[in-house]
Structure formats: structure tokens, C-alpha cells
Amino acid sequence: MKFAKRVAETQNAGLNDLYTAPDPQQISFAGGYPDLAMFPQAALQVAMDHAMANPAAFQYADSWGYRPLRDQLATMMQADGIKTSGEHILITQGAQQGIDLTARLMIDSGDGLVVEAPTYLGAMAAFNQYEPTYYEVPMEDDGMDLVALKKILMTHSVKMIYTVPDFQNPTGAVMSLEKRRALVRLANQFDVLILEDGPYRFLRYEGTSLPPVKSFDTQGRVVFLGSMSKILSPSLRLGWLIADPEIMAGIEALKGAADVESSALIQRGVTEYLAHVDFPAHLTQLQDTYRDKRDVMLEALHRFLPADYTVTEPNGGFFLWLQGPAGLDMTQLQRDVLLPAHVSVVPGRNLAPSHTTQNGARLTYAAPAISDIEPGVRRLAAALSHAAARAQVK
Ligand SMILES: Cc1ncc(COP(=O)(O)O)c(C=O)c1O
């Protein structure tokens, strides 16, 4: 069968790196999963029961999403710095669908698309379907390198910039305030859309939150994506998209064409949940849990890693970035050394379109049990030291 080109592009994205063969002994620092113990199961069960008592929860609704939920999300996002209302929010199947719909709106084959390097693998999997011409902007400690971005914008035609400004997947970096402002200025100057992906925004456990890039938007060219996946549960497949009317009209039509609407049952259940629980208190619990896990991981990494490795120190989110010596191939190390030692990471190779980030890897401390983190880091560090020693012998 001759499939469309986009299938091969999407299959080649490297999503399989995130799922390693089942190994009961493995300690995985790979998948960006929330801590299983942190799902508010009982409260969600009560909320879903309430929602199910109403037959409307089982009916078709509309592709915008359930208005009371959109209003609740608008209140949350206003408190977070975005001037919006329920009218300007569309419910998506997770942030992933927001990425897909925005790319579908903007990108024809060959159109210029800027991504951070490294970036979120799932975004590239979605983008690849639309066959963009990628331009990579290196990540710095305070967000993407805007000097490099400006050079690209001056010399190439770009339609969209994809960024994860808060606790970036995979580096954990936060874009500085100055860069957020400057990014919008550049987008205005060069007539580019900014896709701001913010699923980790509410998981800051240290320092002061910076306003979303969307809050600096003066020309309606920033699309903001939020998600319940990391702060409530990914299986709800519930995200939201904030955009100005011109963009939103296109997105809403594409959403209807893609899946008609998001589940009314889930949306009503989450609305009940948000109305009856202390959600800020739930967020505080998550922040406390992930802060503790990060501390354990960083302490162990600092103690055990070989000297030629460095790590980032995130103030929130799920991830940190492990940078190895130049020339190292993390994909090969994972296969030959880490998996046999029953530990896994996400090798950097597929986290940039050019595959130039191969001597780094993404590690998560969110999913593993806290008691597994230090033993896992010891395994990782021992395997890396062993591999380096063997390489020297050769
Ligand atoms: C940066 C980023 N965007 C989007 C997603 C997808 O999230 P969702 O479950 O909301 O679709 C993820 C999930 O890992 C992510 O890290």
C-alpha cells in the first residue's frame, strides 16, 4: 500500500524512544508521566458521578467545548496574566491537539517553522505531518537564543515559532521576562505566529512565576495552550487553546473537522471537580511532591555523575537535561549500557530536527517512586562511568 508521505514523516519522529521494552527491574527516567499516586481519584469519581446524573453529559454538544468549563479556565488564566474570557477559549484533546490544529492552520508543505533545539518530541511528530522547513534555535539557560532567532527571521520566511517557555520539555529552562517581551516584538516585526505551549506553567515549585508570552501579545498573534494532563490526569485528554478571533475561527473549524468535539462527559466531570475542590491546594501538593523528587535526583546526580557530565536545575515541571561530553551518542549508550543496567532516559538525538543534540538526554523525576530515584541515578552514573572507561581502553 502506498501511504501518504506524512505517515513516514510521523513514524520517523522517534516517539518509540519514549517506550522501552517492559523490564520489571527497570527504573525509568524516560516517560514524562505524572506521579501515579497524585491523581485525585476519589474527588474525580464524585465529580464524574455528578456529571453522569445529567443526560446531557451523554449527548453531542459543540466543538468549542462546555461553556462553564471554558469560563472556569478563563478565570484561572486571567489570574495567571492572560486577558481572556470563556468566549476565546476552545477545549482540545490535550495540548497535543492544540499543537496539531495550530500547525494545520498555519503550515503548508515547505513553510518555515522555528523550534527550540532541543524541543518536545511530540510537537515535531505533529508538525512533521505538514512537512515544514524547520529552523532550529538553540536553547539557553533563560530560553531560546533570540540573536539566533533574529538571524533566521531576517534571512528566511517563517510562519510560526513553537516555544515551551515554562519548564521546557526537555531542558526544564524558563524563558526570561525580557526574552518573552522581545519574542513578541520579533514576531510582530516579522509577521510570525507564536505557539506558546504551557502544560507545565502551574508546576512552579520555586521562585516567582513569569507572565505567559501571550500576556505580551499586542497583535493577536500568540496562541496559548494549556493542559490538565500534568496537573490533573493525562487520560482525561483535556487541554485548552486561547487565541484571538481570527485565528480561533480557523482553529474551531479544524477542530470540528478533526473530531467534532471533546467529550462532554469528561468536560462536565472536570467542571464539577474544579467547582468543588480546592484546586490551588491540589497544585501545592503536586509542587511539594515534585520539588522533593527533584531535590533527590539533583543531589544524587551531583554525587554520582562522572565529572564530564552536567545537568540543568529546573525550578518546576518534570524534566532536567543531562549533557554528556562532545561526540557521545546517548542513543547507543541507552541501548548498549543503560537498558542492560535496568535504567532508561530519553536520548537527545530525536529531540531536534537536525538530530544534533545526541550527546544529551532528558531525565524525569516526576514518574519514578521517590525511593527509586537515588538507586536509579547510581545505576545511570555507574553505567556512564563504565562506558567511558571502556571507551578509553579501546
Ligand atoms: C511540552 C508539551 N506539550 C504538550 C504535551 C502533550 O500534553 P497533553 O497530554 O496535554 O496532550 C506534552 C506532554 O508531554 C508536553 O511535554
Side-chain angles (χ1 to χ4, degrees):
M1 208 77 85
K2 193 162 169 20
F3 296 137
K5 270 193 292 183
R6 76 180 72 90
V7 181
E9 294 291 340
T10 307
Q11 281 180 329
N12 288 341
L15 275 172
N16 288 346
D17 280 4
L18 301 186
Y19 314 104
T20 48
D23 166 7
Q25 289 181 57
Q26 187 185 101
I27 297 177
S28 172
F29 299 138
Y33 295 6
D35 185 327
L36 194 69
M38 298 307 291
F39 297 132
Q41 232 175 314
L44 275 173
Q45 192 164 2
V46 172
M48 290 305 292
D49 275 351
H50 273 277
M52 278 199 257
N54 186 337
F58 298 92
Q59 187 56 285
Y60 284 118
D62 68 73
S63 47
W64 280 100
Y66 185 48
R67 184 59 195 257
L69 174 62
R70 292 160 59 206
D71 290 340
Q72 283 168 329
L73 293 171
T75 305
M76 202 167 119
M77 294 315 303
Q78 279 158 9
D80 195 35
I82 298 182
K83 288 195 194 73
T84 189
S85 66
E87 207 186 326
H88 299 294
I89 295 187
L90 178 127
I91 303 296
T92 59
Q93 306 275 357
Q96 186 69 27
Q97 188 180 39
I99 297 171
D100 179 46
L101 294 178
T102 311
R104 199 175 305 182
L105 180 78
M106 295 302 293
I107 305 293
D108 282 319
S109 181
D111 282 348
L113 170 61
V114 166
V115 294
E116 294 162 336
T119 188
Y120 165 51
L121 184 65
M124 282 188 294
F127 296 149
N128 286 351
Q129 302 173 89
Y130 307 104
E131 304 171 359
T133 300
Y134 282 111
Y135 298 101
E136 291 179 24
V137 175
M139 278 300 288
E140 300 179 320
D141 291 348
D142 61 349
M144 66 163 89
D145 175 352
L146 292 192
V147 176
L149 174 65
K150 189 166 185 184
K151 270 192 201 142
I152 292 168
L153 296 176
M154 284 168 65
T155 48
H156 297 91
S157 160
V158 169
K159 289 186 81 175
M160 183 162 103
I161 299 167
Y162 171 69
T163 179
V164 184
D166 292 292
F167 317 114
Q168 198 239 13
N169 182 355
T171 62
V174 173
M175 188 184 287
S176 68
L177 190 61
E178 196 32 59
K179 282 192 174 178
R180 286 170 199 244
R181 289 205 179 95
L183 179 62
V184 173
R185 282 198 298 269
L186 283 173
N188 286 347
Q189 187 183 344
F190 292 94
D191 188 22
V192 183
L193 181 142
I194 298 172
L195 178 55
E196 176 181 21
D197 189 8
Y200 303 99
R201 258 199 80 73
F202 294 102
L203 289 178
R204 174 180 281 279
Y205 30 78
E206 231 162 52
T208 316
S209 187
L210 298 177
V213 175
K214 176 77 183 149
S215 69
F216 302 109
D217 189 8
T218 47
Q219 300 184 348
R221 57 174 70 252
V222 183
V223 173
F224 177 89
L225 304 177
S227 174
M228 284 294 171
S229 289
K230 315 294 172 170
I231 54 175
L232 192 52
S233 151
S235 78
L236 298 168
R237 306 309 307 134
L238 205 149
W240 60 97
L241 183 150
I242 305 179
D244 286 47
E246 187 192 351
I247 294 174
M248 195 58 115
I251 297 268
E252 194 257 339
L254 292 171
K255 162 82 181 165
D259 62 358
V260 183
E261 61 191 12
S262 294
S263 158
L265 178 56
I266 296 292
Q267 293 182 68
R268 283 169 179 260
V270 172
T271 306
E272 289 283 342
Y273 170 83
L274 291 174
H276 293 108
V277 301
D278 183 350
F279 196 54
H282 170 70
L283 291 178
T284 303
Q285 277 179 3
L286 294 182
Q287 290 152 7
D288 291 346
T289 300
Y290 293 132
R291 185 191 308 109
D292 287 349
K293 289 181 149 190
R294 179 213 50 184
D295 288 347
V296 171
M297 181 173 265
L298 278 179
E299 202 195 318
L301 286 167
H302 289 318
R303 274 179 60 198
F304 300 116
L305 268 188
D308 45 357
Y309 283 81
T310 58
V311 290
T312 58
E313 303 199 3
N315 289 327
F318 280 12
F319 308 113
L320 59 79
W321 183 255
L322 171 72
Q323 184 74 36
L328 187 89
D329 181 349
M330 276 286 182
T331 306
Q332 198 186 335
L333 264 188
Q334 166 106 317
R335 193 185 50 227
D336 297 346
V337 185
L338 301 187
L339 294 180
H342 308 293
V343 64
S344 62
V345 299
V346 176
R349 179 189 284 172
N350 290 320
L351 304 185
S354 64
H355 305 289
T356 45
T357 42
Q358 65 175 12
N359 63 332
R362 186 190 81 178
L363 271 65
T364 182
Y365 41 82
I370 194 160
S371 56
D372 279 344
I373 293 178
E374 198 211 85
V377 170
R378 278 173 181 265
R379 282 183 202 174
L380 173 70
L384 295 175
S385 307
H386 185 66
R390 268 206 332 223
Q392 272 170 8
V393 172
K394 279 183 197 162

